[in-house]
Amino acid sequence: PVGHSSGPHAEARMTLAPAETLDVSVLVPAKDEAVNLPEFVRLCAEALGAAPFTFEVVIVNDGSRDESADVLRDLARAYPFLQVVDHRRQRGIADALRSAGDVARGDIFVFYPADLQYLPADIPALVAPILENRADIVTGTKQGKYEKAFVSTVYNGLCRWLFGISVTDLNSVKAYRREVMLGVPLRPDWHRFMVVIAAADGYRLTSLPVPLYPRRAGVSKFNWRRIPVGVFDLFSVWFQLRFGRKPMLFFGIAGAVLFLIGILAGVFALVLRFAFDFGFRPLLNLVETMVISGTVLFAFGLLGEMVAGLQEETRAIARSLARLDKLDSRD
């Protein structure tokens, strides 16, 4: 099996384990990382070849414009544990992880970038708590200096405050059970919220310190334009986790409150008109606005309940299919 060869040419002689015995799949999104990829794959062979589990590495060429495609083609011929997935255009990390997960055969997925800021030598420690059944998802806590430390600190602080998650670093390398991916919506950049979504679904979390090294080659894909988008995504996830399964809690209550305000304002307007012979036109406009808004919000709540029910059914079907697929792979 993979991970148990020895000798100076062990890397080239490794063979893939059967699907039913594969433990870990390392999922690697790569965009314009041609310079780093050979060293990254070599380090994977070195670090994981001696590990006490079977493995594969799935690299997604996410619309690279450099020589990544040619480099990966040569690497796939040299390393049997390597699988390559190509995207014709850049689709982002979330889609890359989804594409890699579709072809991966491991029971445990590991999200790892190809830029060598994290070294593959830390992967065995990252997956150990899951293999030992002590956790379902393990996040790495960055150790060292990095260029977006302030942004990461603010993001992690907001996540801990909004979601009540005790994990220090939510936007780093991570290992997680295959089924965790089923709960993550197919939305751009929502891989960042995998941990909070998994926690909401009851998965056990833990974290481990992981050294962060300076980038050896290439340029960072991070830019400041992603910050506002990330903040809006953060509050969108919070709203969906809090009210997504019970939308009537938000829309129904808000609609009922507005409707009640409209009714009370209407009664007050009638009292003014018939008891004191005093008409106040803006009060009538307030009644109309509150009653209509309340009715519309309440209707949104009812529609939301129907959509939430369909989503629950879809999740149940996805979980059932995943269980059947896993049983089939073990036959």
Side-chain angles (χ1 to χ4, degrees):
V2 174
H4 299 285
S5 299
S6 59
H9 301 292
E11 296 169 3
R13 291 187 288 105
M14 291 179 183
T15 58
L16 283 173
E20 64 270 13
T21 62
L22 200 57
D23 298 316
V24 176
S25 293
V26 183
L27 313 184
V28 186
K31 173 71 168 69
D32 296 332
E33 298 288 356
V35 178
N36 292 317
L37 285 169
E39 180 66 4
F40 177 81
V41 176
R42 186 191 70 79
L43 290 175
C44 283
E46 182 180 289
L48 302 180
F53 52 76
T54 54
F55 73 98
E56 67 178 349
V57 178
V58 184
I59 299 180
V60 180
N61 177 23
D62 192 28
S64 297
R65 299 302 180 189
D66 61 2
E67 295 79 25
S68 293
D70 295 333
V71 170
L72 287 172
R73 192 178 303 113
D74 293 339
L75 290 172
R77 286 195 291 264
Y79 296 93
F81 61 79
L82 178 62
Q83 289 198 69
V84 177
V85 178
D86 285 298
H87 286 173
R88 293 181 181 275
R89 60 177 179 82
Q90 184 178 6
R91 292 162 50 184
I93 294 178
D95 273 0
L97 289 176
R98 186 71 59 177
S99 297
D102 287 342
V103 302
R105 298 177 297 152
D107 291 327
I108 299 171
F109 289 168
V110 181
F111 163 48
Y112 234 70
D115 57 14
L116 294 177
Q117 288 192 279
Y118 300 95
L119 296 185
D122 296 307
I123 293 177
L126 204 63
V127 302
I130 303 178
L131 290 171
E132 297 166 4
N133 200 29
R134 293 186 286 111
D136 300 309
I137 182 168
V138 181
T139 65
T141 302
K142 292 187 283 288
Q143 307 293 306
K145 295 181 179 180
Y146 53 103
E147 60 184 27
K148 49 182 178 178
F150 175 74
V151 175
S152 181
T153 300
V154 172
Y155 165 78
N156 287 309
L158 281 173
C159 284
R160 288 193 295 271
W161 175 60
L162 287 173
F163 303 105
I165 302 298
S166 59
V167 176
T168 305
D169 195 344
L170 300 173
N171 195 23
S172 179
V173 293
K174 51 185 68 70
Y176 48 94
R177 296 191 187 278
R178 184 188 193 99
E179 55 266 27
V180 170
M181 285 293 291
L182 296 176
V184 182
L186 295 171
R187 301 280 297 276
D189 291 332
W190 274 40
H191 67 283
R192 304 174 188 276
F193 309 105
M194 182 188 302
V195 176
V196 298
I197 294 172
D201 286 340
Y203 290 101
R204 297 167 297 168
L205 309 179
T206 190
S207 61
L208 293 172
V210 177
L212 183 71
Y213 301 91
R215 175 181 274 273
R216 303 186 185 184
V219 295
S220 173
K221 310 305 183 295
F222 174 80
N223 62 69
W224 292 93
R225 290 175 295 180
R226 293 166 57 182
I227 295 177
V229 176
V231 172
F232 282 114
D233 281 343
L234 181 64
F235 284 101
S236 176
V237 171
W238 175 83
F239 185 88
Q240 291 199 32
L241 289 179
R242 190 174 181 86
F243 301 110
R245 294 184 176 178
K246 292 185 177 293
M248 188 60 81
L249 284 177
F250 179 80
F251 292 104
I253 292 176
V257 169
L258 292 180
F259 192 86
L260 180 60
I261 292 173
I263 294 298
L264 293 176
V267 171
F268 182 64
L270 290 174
V271 171
L272 287 179
R273 180 67 180 86
F274 293 105
F276 300 97
D277 196 26
F278 177 75
F280 188 55
R281 186 71 181 181
L283 193 59
L284 179 60
N285 294 334
L286 176 65
V287 173
E288 295 172 345
T289 301
M290 293 296 102
V291 170
I292 293 173
S293 298
T295 303
V296 169
L297 284 176
F298 199 84
F300 278 164
L302 290 176
L303 290 174
E305 288 289 333
M306 296 173 64
V307 172
L310 292 174
Q311 286 182 331
E312 289 299 321
E313 292 179 8
T314 302
R315 290 192 184 99
I317 293 171
R319 286 191 291 267
S320 298
L321 290 175
R323 285 195 294 269
L324 289 174
D325 182 62
K326 187 171 183 179
L327 288 174
D328 288 344
S329 69
R330 295 296 187 260
D331 291 340

